[in-house]
Tab-separated table of all heavy atoms in Angstrom:
chain	number	residue	atom	x	y	z
A	104	ILE	N	130.107	92.972	83.800
A	104	ILE	CA	128.840	92.235	83.793
A	104	ILE	C	127.814	93.105	84.505
A	104	ILE	O	127.987	93.448	85.684
A	104	ILE	CB	128.993	90.878	84.504
A	104	ILE	CG1	129.927	89.959	83.706
A	104	ILE	CG2	127.628	90.226	84.690
A	104	ILE	CD1	130.197	88.623	84.389
A	105	VAL	N	126.789	93.497	83.787
A	105	VAL	CA	125.734	94.340	84.356
A	105	VAL	C	124.520	93.460	84.641
A	105	VAL	O	123.900	92.907	83.726
A	105	VAL	CB	125.355	95.488	83.403
A	105	VAL	CG1	124.235	96.329	84.009
A	105	VAL	CG2	126.573	96.368	83.105
A	106	LEU	N	124.216	93.311	85.914
A	106	LEU	CA	123.126	92.442	86.344
A	106	LEU	C	121.768	93.028	85.967
A	106	LEU	O	121.576	94.249	85.981
A	106	LEU	CB	123.206	92.226	87.859
A	106	LEU	CG	124.529	91.598	88.341
A	106	LEU	CD1	124.626	91.688	89.856
A	106	LEU	CD2	124.657	90.154	87.871
A	107	HIS	N	120.842	92.145	85.629
A	107	HIS	CA	119.517	92.575	85.179
A	107	HIS	C	118.459	91.809	85.966
A	107	HIS	O	117.947	90.777	85.498
A	107	HIS	CB	119.378	92.334	83.676
A	107	HIS	CG	118.105	92.832	83.102
A	107	HIS	ND1	117.578	92.368	81.908
A	107	HIS	CD2	117.201	93.757	83.558
A	107	HIS	CE1	116.441	92.978	81.660
A	107	HIS	NE2	116.190	93.823	82.649
A	108	PRO	N	118.089	92.269	87.172
A	108	PRO	CA	117.102	91.529	87.982
A	108	PRO	C	115.729	91.513	87.325
A	108	PRO	O	115.394	92.386	86.514
A	108	PRO	CB	117.095	92.299	89.307
A	108	PRO	CG	117.594	93.654	88.964
A	108	PRO	CD	118.567	93.484	87.852
A	109	LEU	N	114.935	90.531	87.700
A	109	LEU	CA	113.608	90.374	87.106
A	109	LEU	C	112.665	91.521	87.469
A	109	LEU	O	111.697	91.782	86.745
A	109	LEU	CB	112.986	89.038	87.542
A	109	LEU	CG	113.709	87.775	87.038
A	109	LEU	CD1	113.067	86.525	87.638
A	109	LEU	CD2	113.691	87.714	85.517
A	110	ASP	N	112.921	92.193	88.590
A	110	ASP	CA	112.049	93.305	88.989
A	110	ASP	C	112.583	94.661	88.530
A	110	ASP	O	112.128	95.706	89.010
A	110	ASP	CB	111.836	93.306	90.507
A	110	ASP	CG	113.138	93.485	91.286
A	110	ASP	OD1	114.219	93.561	90.650
A	110	ASP	OD2	113.083	93.545	92.534
A	111	ASP	N	113.515	94.650	87.595
A	111	ASP	CA	114.080	95.902	87.071
A	111	ASP	C	112.994	96.701	86.345
A	111	ASP	O	112.195	96.141	85.587
A	111	ASP	CB	115.230	95.583	86.114
A	111	ASP	CG	115.920	96.837	85.611
A	111	ASP	OD1	115.788	97.896	86.263
A	111	ASP	OD2	116.587	96.765	84.559
A	112	THR	N	112.957	98.022	86.591
A	112	THR	CA	111.951	98.880	85.943
A	112	THR	C	112.558	99.852	84.933
A	112	THR	O	111.828	100.647	84.342
A	112	THR	CB	111.186	99.695	87.005
A	112	THR	OG1	112.114	100.490	87.746
A	112	THR	CG2	110.424	98.776	87.952
A	113	LEU	N	113.858	99.807	84.722
A	113	LEU	CA	114.494	100.681	83.737
A	113	LEU	C	114.335	100.088	82.344
A	113	LEU	O	114.579	98.894	82.131
A	113	LEU	CB	115.977	100.863	84.064
A	113	LEU	CG	116.295	101.590	85.373
A	113	LEU	CD1	117.801	101.617	85.614
A	113	LEU	CD2	115.741	103.006	85.359
A	114	GLU	N	113.908	100.917	81.405
A	114	GLU	CA	113.670	100.454	80.041
A	114	GLU	C	114.822	100.901	79.139
A	114	GLU	O	114.933	102.085	78.800
A	114	GLU	CB	112.334	100.987	79.525
A	114	GLU	CG	111.130	100.452	80.289
A	114	GLU	CD	109.822	100.862	79.662
A	114	GLU	OE1	109.810	101.894	78.937
A	114	GLU	OE2	108.816	100.173	79.868
A	115	TRP	N	115.661	99.948	78.762
A	115	TRP	CA	116.822	100.219	77.927
A	115	TRP	C	116.525	99.836	76.479
A	115	TRP	O	115.924	98.789	76.227
A	115	TRP	CB	118.025	99.417	78.392
A	115	TRP	CG	118.551	99.757	79.760
A	115	TRP	CD1	118.101	99.267	80.943
A	115	TRP	CD2	119.627	100.639	80.054
A	115	TRP	NE1	118.833	99.801	81.978
A	115	TRP	CE2	119.781	100.640	81.467
A	115	TRP	CE3	120.482	101.430	79.283
A	115	TRP	CZ2	120.755	101.395	82.104
A	115	TRP	CZ3	121.458	102.184	79.918
A	115	TRP	CH2	121.576	102.170	81.305
A	116	GLU	N	116.959	100.651	75.549
A	116	GLU	CA	116.933	100.222	74.145
A	116	GLU	C	118.058	99.228	73.904
A	116	GLU	O	117.903	98.257	73.168
A	116	GLU	CB	117.082	101.432	73.226
A	116	GLU	CG	115.885	102.366	73.235
A	116	GLU	CD	116.029	103.485	72.233
A	116	GLU	OE1	117.048	103.478	71.478
A	116	GLU	OE2	115.149	104.349	72.174
A	117	SER	N	119.206	99.494	74.514
A	117	SER	CA	120.338	98.578	74.436
A	117	SER	C	121.029	98.582	75.791
A	117	SER	O	121.596	99.602	76.199
A	117	SER	CB	121.309	99.022	73.327
A	117	SER	OG	122.441	98.182	73.289
A	118	ARG	N	120.965	97.488	76.503
A	118	ARG	CA	121.526	97.418	77.840
A	118	ARG	C	123.046	97.509	77.793
A	118	ARG	O	123.692	96.935	76.916
A	118	ARG	CB	121.106	96.130	78.545
A	118	ARG	CG	119.598	96.012	78.773
A	118	ARG	CD	119.285	94.871	79.714
A	118	ARG	NE	119.903	95.102	81.008
A	118	ARG	CZ	119.368	95.860	81.962
A	118	ARG	NH1	118.205	96.476	81.753
A	118	ARG	NH2	119.984	96.039	83.103
A	119	PRO	N	123.635	98.229	78.765
A	119	PRO	CA	125.095	98.373	78.774
A	119	PRO	C	125.786	97.118	79.313
A	119	PRO	O	125.159	96.278	79.974
A	119	PRO	CB	125.312	99.556	79.722
A	119	PRO	CG	124.168	99.466	80.684
A	119	PRO	CD	123.001	98.970	79.880
A	120	GLY	N	127.065	97.019	79.057
A	120	GLY	CA	127.866	95.960	79.649
A	120	GLY	C	127.601	94.579	79.079
A	120	GLY	O	126.963	94.406	78.038
A	121	LEU	N	128.101	93.588	79.802
A	121	LEU	CA	127.972	92.193	79.420
A	121	LEU	C	126.839	91.546	80.208
A	121	LEU	O	126.682	91.815	81.404
A	121	LEU	CB	129.284	91.446	79.695
A	121	LEU	CG	130.541	92.039	79.030
A	121	LEU	CD1	131.783	91.321	79.534
A	121	LEU	CD2	130.429	91.954	77.509
A	122	PRO	N	126.033	90.698	79.590
A	122	PRO	CA	124.926	90.070	80.314
A	122	PRO	C	125.444	88.967	81.239
A	122	PRO	O	126.434	88.292	80.949
A	122	PRO	CB	124.050	89.495	79.205
A	122	PRO	CG	124.995	89.247	78.070
A	122	PRO	CD	126.039	90.321	78.151
A	123	ALA	N	124.749	88.782	82.351
A	123	ALA	CA	125.078	87.687	83.270
A	123	ALA	C	124.454	86.393	82.752
A	123	ALA	O	123.569	86.403	81.887
A	123	ALA	CB	124.543	88.003	84.658
A	124	ASN	N	124.915	85.285	83.275
A	124	ASN	CA	124.374	83.995	82.852
A	124	ASN	C	122.910	83.848	83.259
A	124	ASN	O	122.121	83.226	82.539
A	124	ASN	CB	125.203	82.853	83.455
A	124	ASN	CG	126.608	82.803	82.879
A	124	ASN	OD1	126.842	83.208	81.734
A	124	ASN	ND2	127.563	82.303	83.669
A	125	GLU	N	122.553	84.383	84.404
A	125	GLU	CA	121.181	84.290	84.885
A	125	GLU	C	120.731	85.655	85.408
A	125	GLU	O	121.564	86.463	85.852
A	125	GLU	CB	121.061	83.247	86.010
A	125	GLU	CG	121.340	81.831	85.562
A	125	GLU	CD	121.168	80.835	86.699
A	125	GLU	OE1	120.786	81.260	87.818
A	125	GLU	OE2	121.404	79.640	86.477
A	126	ARG	N	119.448	85.859	85.373
A	126	ARG	CA	118.901	87.091	85.925
A	126	ARG	C	118.530	86.871	87.390
A	126	ARG	O	117.772	85.950	87.709
A	126	ARG	CB	117.665	87.533	85.129
A	126	ARG	CG	117.958	87.921	83.693
A	126	ARG	CD	116.707	88.408	82.998
A	126	ARG	NE	116.174	89.618	83.619
A	126	ARG	CZ	115.051	90.228	83.214
A	126	ARG	NH1	114.356	89.711	82.212
A	126	ARG	NH2	114.640	91.312	83.815
A	127	PRO	N	119.027	87.718	88.295
A	127	PRO	CA	118.635	87.589	89.703
A	127	PRO	C	117.141	87.833	89.848
A	127	PRO	O	116.561	88.655	89.131
A	127	PRO	CB	119.452	88.680	90.402
A	127	PRO	CG	120.530	89.042	89.441
A	127	PRO	CD	119.988	88.803	88.071
A	128	PRO	N	116.472	87.138	90.779
A	128	PRO	CA	115.018	87.322	90.950
A	128	PRO	C	114.639	88.741	91.370
A	128	PRO	O	113.622	89.267	90.899
A	128	PRO	CB	114.659	86.300	92.036
A	128	PRO	CG	115.754	85.287	91.997
A	128	PRO	CD	116.982	86.046	91.618
A	129	THR	N	115.421	89.331	92.250
A	129	THR	CA	115.074	90.658	92.779
A	129	THR	C	116.297	91.561	92.806
A	129	THR	O	117.442	91.096	92.668
A	129	THR	CB	114.519	90.545	94.206
A	129	THR	OG1	115.557	90.091	95.080
A	129	THR	CG2	113.333	89.589	94.269
A	130	THR	N	116.024	92.841	93.014
A	130	THR	CA	117.118	93.806	93.165
A	130	THR	C	117.958	93.488	94.390
A	130	THR	O	119.193	93.633	94.373
A	130	THR	CB	116.539	95.231	93.273
A	130	THR	OG1	115.843	95.547	92.067
A	130	THR	CG2	117.633	96.254	93.497
A	131	ALA	N	117.314	93.047	95.473
A	131	ALA	CA	118.051	92.680	96.679
A	131	ALA	C	119.026	91.541	96.399
A	131	ALA	O	120.178	91.552	96.884
A	131	ALA	CB	117.080	92.290	97.783
A	132	ASP	N	118.609	90.566	95.594
A	132	ASP	CA	119.512	89.466	95.221
A	132	ASP	C	120.667	89.978	94.374
A	132	ASP	O	121.818	89.519	94.520
A	132	ASP	CB	118.741	88.391	94.448
A	132	ASP	CG	117.683	87.713	95.298
A	132	ASP	OD1	117.934	87.513	96.502
A	132	ASP	OD2	116.601	87.394	94.763
Side-chain angles (χ1 to χ4, degrees):
I104 293 177
V105 179
L106 301 168
H107 184 201
L109 295 175
D110 61 358
D111 184 20
T112 59
L113 295 176
E114 295 187 336
W115 295 85
E116 291 185 4
S117 177
R118 297 192 61 83
L121 304 172
N124 292 331
E125 295 182 2
R126 295 183 63 182
T129 66
T130 298
D132 295 324

